[in-house]
């Protein structure tokens, strides 16, 4: 975000005094707020524990505890599970955002931001972009760890980059849902509770951990409409090879739809929140 | 927009006194609120509050906890919408021109609103960038304000390592970055020790001397007396008195002079002597140790000391105390038991 504004010189007092907010101003506000969120992470490295450890724990747990039983072949299961875990990790990280946002709202810093002549959406967008950076770190840890365990990138670098990018896009749309929850509910605990209620069925009622064909009919139907199944299928196809058009376009469609609905609602809640 | 460009965003790195020409271009009243109502469920946080802050003055909003002071500040800084009523700040309407209004104000909350994890200079730089300063200007302004608020040494440390007073000063610095024409200080010294409180008061006086208009909320009569030119007293969401500080002080009896006689046996004689000299209300305190005299103004203070000295009484110690908030309330509501609003005579204007 620093790079985005580095080329835009703003040396004059008259430019500053103009009270109209240009798109360029918005970008700078978003950049400054994203930077603030990233500096907070730097100042509090413990906040990266979930990002670093979750992909490792999930991978170990499912590959070695359940892997043999699920597929009878740990190597094959790695190739099946790891791409889907991009989606699972993204979901877990995204749903935690609302809890943090809710606690942030109790601090005076938010009042300060809200009393500044900036678009209030910049505060939320800055938060989302910082979360995207966290997500990217987590995905990198997941892929690197999986490579150590013997994951094969059958389609090479473009495939894995595509999968990570897709998971990131979808995760960013989930962040808006999470922020909406965080802005709507009264306490951080409540947000966390509801977040879990969302995460568990979406995560396990999908094709992330196991093929859905053995599931009972109603659950099978649920997994088919669950966008996390689309995402897991898309990431698997991108990394292992196979047809990608349907699953990728479904994921993009879901991402756009979720963002289009929840982002304006979240910004509105943030504007009105006392 | 011609008025906003003049004062708050001029890029000189030193503070400048605003010229009369600039002040003249601004509305006569920096803040005007009429009939502000805000309900939270059945609770009436604000129940029809009128308030005026004249340009270049300090209005003290005095009231106990829960009187509605913070709600009022939040309405006037566009953080919440009033249920009824209207208000302008720097000529901008709180409902219709929130963005211009936000460019006019600086806000210092009751709880220091700085980012704990960022250092002092990072906090100020961030606000500067959000206020559309260039990188270089934002950095320069941060350095300048850190210096001014004696935070230069702590500039690189996370704000969470700061003492209460340092945080409050950083918070004040943050609200000064955009050179706001109107500053809101919401209980700026609540919870601070006396020394730190004096530091904050010094800063507020300096800001006012440099031309800022200040809306200050406080629970302390003493703070209002130290800083404010005008006072609005609110209780349970309603204005129960307003006027000048001197007017209100006359209303509630002003200060009390307390004298410790060098020879304790002379106390009764001191009281008699002052009463004979025409000083009203001189008494011995219940513990029989001090002489207590209500004081209307500095001349009277001088006169009383003069009488005591002139008659050869020895004085071991003197001080003056301002009435507590309780006493102020007692005086106002005692006088106006039938009418909830007392308008105090304003001879100062």
């Amino acid at each position: 975000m620093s790079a985005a504004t580095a080329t835009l010189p703003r040396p004059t007092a008259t430019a500053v005094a103009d009270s109209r907010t240009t798109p360029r101003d918005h970008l700078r506000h978003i950049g400054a707020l994203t930077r603030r969120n990233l500096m907070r992470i730097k100042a509090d490295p413990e906040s990266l524990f979930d990002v670093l450890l979750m992909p490792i724990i999930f991978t170990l747990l499912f590959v070695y505890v359940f892997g043999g039983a699920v597929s009878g072949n740990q190597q094959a299961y790695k190739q099946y599970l790891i791409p889907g875990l991009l989606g699972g990790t993204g979901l877990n990280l995204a749903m935690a955002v609302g809890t943090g946002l809710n606690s942030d709202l109790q601090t005076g810093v938010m009042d300060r931001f809200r009393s500044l002549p900036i678009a209030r959406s910049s505060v939320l967008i800055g938060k989302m972009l910082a979360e995207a950076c966290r997500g990217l770190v987590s995905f990198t840890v997941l892929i690197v760890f999986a490579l150590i365990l013997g994951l094969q990138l059958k389609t090479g670098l473009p495939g894995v980059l595509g999968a990570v990018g897709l998971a990131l896009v979808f995760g960013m749309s989930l962040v808006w849902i999470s922020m909406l929850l965080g802005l709507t509910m009264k306490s951080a605990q409540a947000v966390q509770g509801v977040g879990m209620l969302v995460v568990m069925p979406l995560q396990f009622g999908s094709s992330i951990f196991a093929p859905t064909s053995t599931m009972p009919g109603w659950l099978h139907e649920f997994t088919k409409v669950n966008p996390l199944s689309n995402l897991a299928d898309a990431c698997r196809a991108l990394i292992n090879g196979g047809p990608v058009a349907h699953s990728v376009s479904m994921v993009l469609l879901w991402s756009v739809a979720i963002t289009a609905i929840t982002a304006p609602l979240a910004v509105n809640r943030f504007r009105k929140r006392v | 927009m011609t008025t906003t460009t003049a004062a708050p965003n001029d890029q000189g790195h030193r503070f400048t006194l605003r010229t009369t020409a600039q002040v003249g271009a601004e509305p006569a009243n920096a803040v005007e609120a009429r009939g502000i109502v805000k309900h939270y469920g059945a609770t009436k946080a604000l129940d029809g509050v009128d308030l005026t802050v004249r340009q270049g003055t300090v209005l003290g909003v005095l009231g106990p906890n829960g009187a509605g002071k913070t709600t009022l500040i939040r309405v006037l800084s566009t953080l919440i919408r009033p249920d009824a009523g209207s208000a302008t700040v720097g000529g901008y309407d709180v409902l219709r021109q929130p963005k211009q209004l936000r460019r006019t104000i600086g806000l210092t909350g009751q709880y220091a609103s700085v980012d704990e994890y960022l250092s002092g200079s990072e906090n100020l730089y961030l606000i500067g960038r959000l206020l559309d300063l260039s990188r270089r200007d934002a950095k320069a302004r941060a350095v300048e304000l850190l210096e001014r608020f004696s935070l230069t040494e702590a500039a690189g440390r996370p704000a969470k390592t700061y003492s209460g007073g340092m945080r409050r000063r950083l918070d004040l610095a943050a609200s000064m970055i955009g050179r706001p024409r109107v500053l809101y200080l919401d209980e700026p010294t609540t919870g601070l020790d006396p020394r730190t409180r004096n530091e904050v008061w010094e800063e507020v006086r300096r800001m006012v001397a440099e031309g800022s208009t200040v809306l200050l909320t406080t629970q302390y009569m003493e703070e209002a007396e130290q800083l404010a030119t005008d006072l609005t007293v609110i209780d349970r969401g309603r204005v129960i008195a307003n006027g000048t500080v001197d007017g209100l002080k006359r209303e509630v009896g002003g200060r009390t002079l307390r004298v410790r006689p060098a020879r304790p046996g002379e106390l009764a004689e001191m009281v008699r002597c002052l009463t004979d000299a025409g000083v009203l209300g001189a008494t011995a305190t219940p513990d029989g140790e001090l002489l207590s005299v209500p004081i209307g103004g500095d001349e009277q203070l001088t006169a009383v000391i003069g009488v005591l000295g002139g008659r050869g009484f020895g004085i071991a110690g003197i001080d003056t105390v301002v009435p507590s908030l309780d006493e102020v309330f007692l005086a106002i509501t005692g006088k106006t038991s039938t009418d909830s609003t007392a308008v105090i005579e304003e001879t100062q204007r």
Side-chain angles (χ1 to χ4, degrees), chain A residues 118-219:
Chain A
I118 59 174
R120 287 174 177 175
S121 59
S122 343
V123 178
L124 298 186
I125 296 173
K127 178 104 185 148
M128 187 203 60
L129 290 177
E131 288 302 321
C133 293
R134 270 163 52 88
L136 204 54
V137 171
S138 199
F139 294 159
T140 308
V141 170
L142 173 67
I143 296 295
V144 168
F145 187 63
L147 286 174
I148 295 170
L149 294 187
L151 176 77
Q152 289 167 7
L153 301 178
K154 294 181 178 166
T155 56
L157 200 58
V160 75
L161 289 182
V164 166
L166 194 65
L168 207 57
V169 168
F170 185 70
M172 280 157 78
S173 72
L174 293 179
V175 169
W176 287 111
I177 298 183
S178 181
M179 290 203 288
L180 181 58
L181 280 176
L183 290 162
T184 310
M185 314 215 47
K186 285 220 168 61
S187 74
Q189 282 88 342
V191 178
Q192 198 166 21
V194 173
M196 285 303 279
L197 286 180
V198 175
V199 167
M200 283 303 165
L202 277 181
Q203 173 167 267
F204 290 104
S206 77
S207 68
I208 292 180
F209 299 102
T212 59
S213 48
T214 60
M215 297 178 187
W218 59 270
L219 187 54

Side-chain angles (χ1 to χ4, degrees), chain B residues 4-255:
Chain B
T4 48
T5 56
N9 288 315
D10 56 324
Q11 291 297 291
H13 285 308
R14 292 284 150 247
F15 286 84
T16 51
L17 280 169
R18 289 194 181 88
T19 64
T20 44
Q22 283 167 326
V23 173
E26 292 165 356
N29 290 327
V31 182
E32 280 212 53
R34 293 289 165 262
I36 299 288
V37 175
K38 182 72 194 176
H39 293 191
Y40 290 109
T43 319
K44 285 180 179 170
L46 295 175
D47 193 11
V49 170
D50 294 346
L51 171 147
T52 303
V53 191
R54 293 177 294 145
Q55 201 70 247
T57 66
V58 181
L59 175 73
V61 174
L62 190 64
N65 267 331
K69 301 187 298 292
T70 297
T71 309
L72 185 62
I73 295 275
R74 292 174 71 84
V75 167
L76 293 176
S77 48
T78 76
L79 293 179
I80 53 176
R81 293 171 68 92
D83 296 329
S86 64
T88 59
V89 180
Y92 299 117
D93 191 285
V94 284
L95 293 175
R96 286 193 297 275
Q97 298 162 298
K99 204 148 195 180
Q100 289 95 321
L101 192 155
R102 283 181 216 141
R103 211 168 264 285
T104 310
I105 61 167
L107 172 65
T108 294
Q110 186 171 348
Y111 306 101
S113 48
V114 295
D115 195 318
E116 303 250 295
Y117 287 98
L118 300 194
S119 71
S121 59
E122 285 161 359
N123 263 296
L124 299 187
Y125 177 79
L126 169 67
I127 305 288
R129 291 293 283 161
L130 293 177
L131 284 167
D132 299 337
L133 297 182
S134 70
R135 278 161 206 284
R136 211 183 45 198
D137 289 346
K139 258 187 204 116
R141 188 92 175 111
V143 169
E144 175 192 343
L145 285 168
L146 287 165
E147 164 105 45
R148 170 179 172 161
F149 287 88
S150 319
L151 291 166
T152 304
E153 273 174 45
R157 288 197 342 239
K160 67 176 169 191
T161 65
Y162 285 19
S163 68
M166 289 164 77
R167 272 184 220 209
R168 212 62 72 99
R169 293 206 304 268
L170 180 60
D171 198 35
L172 277 173
S175 54
M176 294 292 287
I177 288 180
R179 296 185 166 85
R181 283 183 295 158
V182 181
L183 259 175
Y184 299 142
L185 305 175
D186 189 14
E187 301 199 12
T189 63
T190 297
L192 294 187
D193 61 60
R195 211 191 86 202
T196 318
R197 190 193 57 185
N198 284 330
E199 286 172 13
V200 172
W201 284 355
E202 273 314 303
E203 276 313 322
V204 175
R205 289 195 191 101
R206 220 168 115 183
M207 293 174 191
V208 176
E210 284 161 3
S212 292
T213 303
V214 176
L215 174 56
L216 164 91
T217 74
T218 182
Q219 306 186 38
Y220 309 119
M221 184 62 194
E222 191 190 356
E223 183 159 85
E225 189 184 23
Q226 287 282 337
L227 299 175
T229 27
D230 297 328
L231 273 182
T232 292
V233 184
I234 66 174
D235 186 28
R236 278 170 276 168
R238 298 182 70 88
V239 174
I240 58 171
N242 67 68
T244 61
V245 172
D246 287 341
L248 187 64
K249 262 162 51 185
R250 261 196 307 282
E251 189 76 10
V252 301
R255 287 172 295 176

Side-chain angles (χ1 to χ4, degrees), chain A residues 1-16:
Chain A
M1 60 259 39
S2 314
T5 48
T7 53
L8 312 173
R10 300 182 54 83
T12 60
T14 44
V16 169

